[in-house]
Amino acid sequence: MLPHMDGITLIRAIKKMKSQIVCIASSGQGDDGRLSELQNLGVADVLPKPYDGTRLLQTVHKAIAAART
């Protein structure tokens, strides 16, 4: 949990500053409504917690590859 805003608000603020930035979200909550909102914001992927280093690296690699196309 972020202390002053939630992740979706943070992503909106970042996208407002730099709309083409690639974002990956991570959440321990499986709220489908929030997941669809993240997709609408253009989030490349959502990592469910807990995840390991291998899964993180695979997700980052996938997001970078998708951004290049």
Side-chain angles (χ1 to χ4, degrees):
M1 301 294 288
L2 296 170
H4 300 289
M5 69 177 72
D6 66 6
I8 290 175
T9 303
L10 176 62
I11 291 168
R12 279 193 191 113
I14 291 169
K15 291 277 194 174
K16 191 173 184 178
M17 289 184 276
K18 187 165 180 159
S19 63
Q20 299 303 315
I21 197 162
V22 176
C23 293
I24 297 170
S26 177
S27 178
Q29 302 170 355
D31 183 356
D32 289 337
R34 295 181 70 77
L35 292 177
S36 94
E37 192 169 356
L38 289 168
Q39 289 174 337
N40 290 339
L41 287 170
V43 171
D45 207 343
V46 178
L47 278 170
K49 292 178 184 176
Y51 55 87
D52 61 15
T54 300
R55 173 82 172 139
L56 174 61
L57 289 173
Q58 289 170 341
T59 304
V60 170
H61 182 269
K62 181 176 143 188
I64 291 170
R68 289 183 176 171
T69 60

